[in-house]
Amino acid sequence: MKEGKVYAKLLAQLKEEAGMVFLVIDPPNQSPEQAGKIAKIAEDVGVKAIAVGGSLGAQGKLLDDTLEQIKDKATLPVILFPGNIATLSPLADATYYLTMLNSNDPYYISGAQIAAAFPVKKMGLEVIPTSYIIVEPGRAVGFMGRAQLIPRNVPYLAAANALAGQYMGAKMVILESGGGAPEPAPKEMIAYTKKSIDIPLVIAGGVRTAEFAYDCISSGADIVHVGSAIEKAGSDKEVKLRLEKFVQSAAKGAKEKK
């Protein structure tokens, strides 16, 4: 499969920077207008992409309205981060085509992907085949996806899942601890996984602080997803300050990769 424009741009940026921040915007958690405003702030401070979705409510008119506002206010690539097959829209630039490798439910391994295939093709969305691996505690995504969670103290299991995903054609790997997790995947797990694969590694869930972002990137991750920490900011000024710290910490981590 030919690489799409969004993925090709991502790879080119990683050659230059080696550590990036993606902002996650979950439509039910703010108005479309606020989402657009946050996206503009994110672009101004050096965030490299917007991932939209995550929850069961990210669909329909709310999803489209949010995407319209983001695209109107910012020029960053917008990648869908689907929580279900309804989190699709032709207004996005691309979608993570997620396969939850450690699910016990075939629906999340291949069923949802089959159900979404023709709609995605009709929309003309660029797909980024992505191995989605759920790490303890997993939280809502682990529960909904019936995941056999990767234990935090067994790094090689995450690495084995990631490598299998790459061998099956994945272009990216996401180690997901779940939205609202107290911390991201452990540094040892990130390092082991990154050394085992040749595709970009994303850390999602639990990246609550700039220090966690630094830990993830310096341990080997290519990208961190930041969402809840920004949703909880009380003002646009605070959004900017927090995102600046995340971007700066990711850049510092990229310079000090182990």
Side-chain angles (χ1 to χ4, degrees):
M1 184 175 67
K2 182 180 179 182
E3 289 178 2
K5 292 180 180 179
V6 172
Y7 185 71
K9 181 179 180 181
L10 183 155
L11 293 181
Q13 288 175 319
L14 283 174
K15 288 182 180 179
E16 298 293 328
E17 301 184 42
M20 301 193 300
V21 176
F22 285 10
L23 173 64
V24 178
I25 291 179
D26 197 355
N29 296 339
Q30 65 278 297
S31 70
E33 292 75 19
Q34 185 63 19
K37 192 181 297 185
I38 294 170
K40 179 64 167 66
I41 294 170
E43 182 171 27
D44 289 344
V45 302
V47 169
K48 296 304 180 185
I50 308 292
V52 177
S55 77
L56 297 175
Q59 60 193 58
K61 186 176 187 300
L62 178 60
L63 175 62
D64 286 344
D65 289 349
T66 299
L67 291 168
E68 285 180 350
Q69 287 293 319
I70 293 171
K71 300 290 284 184
D72 183 59
K73 299 295 191 301
T75 63
L76 293 174
V78 180
I79 304 170
L80 295 175
F81 187 22
N84 61 78
I85 60 172
T87 310
L88 295 172
S89 171
L91 299 177
D93 298 305
T95 183
Y96 292 134
Y97 212 71
L98 299 171
T99 297
M100 189 182 291
L101 288 185
N102 57 324
S103 174
N104 287 316
D105 188 339
Y107 176 79
Y108 293 100
I109 301 171
S110 61
Q113 295 75 15
I114 293 168
F118 279 131
V120 166
K121 185 178 179 65
K122 185 175 181 180
M123 290 178 187
L125 275 171
E126 175 183 335
V127 297
I128 304 174
T130 303
S131 291
Y132 197 39
I133 301 166
I134 314 302
V135 178
E136 290 179 336
R139 294 181 59 82
V141 68
F143 176 83
M144 292 300 298
R146 297 184 62 195
Q148 186 166 324
L149 302 175
I150 304 293
R152 292 179 63 82
N153 62 347
V154 191
Y156 75 86
L157 283 180
N161 274 260
L163 183 58
Q166 176 182 314
Y167 286 163
M168 289 189 287
K171 299 293 186 182
M172 294 181 70
V173 170
I174 299 177
L175 293 185
E176 170 72 78
S177 297
E183 55 188 341
K187 292 186 286 185
E188 297 79 6
M189 182 179 289
I190 294 170
Y192 202 133
T193 301
K194 184 57 185 177
K195 288 176 182 176
S196 303
I197 60 176
D198 305 306
I199 54 179
L201 175 62
V202 182
I203 305 302
V207 188
R208 292 170 166 266
T209 67
E211 290 75 18
F212 278 142
Y214 167 81
D215 288 344
C216 292
I217 299 296
S218 64
S219 297
D222 299 290
I223 298 161
V224 290
H225 274 186
V226 177
S228 298
I230 306 307
E231 289 173 2
K232 294 175 182 177
S235 66
D236 291 346
K237 182 179 179 180
E238 183 63 23
V239 166
K240 182 178 180 181
L241 287 173
R242 291 188 185 188
L243 282 173
E244 283 177 336
K245 289 181 180 178
F246 277 109
V247 171
Q248 291 165 2
S249 293
K252 181 181 177 184
K255 292 179 180 178
E256 301 176 14
K257 280 198 171 182
K258 297 173 182 178

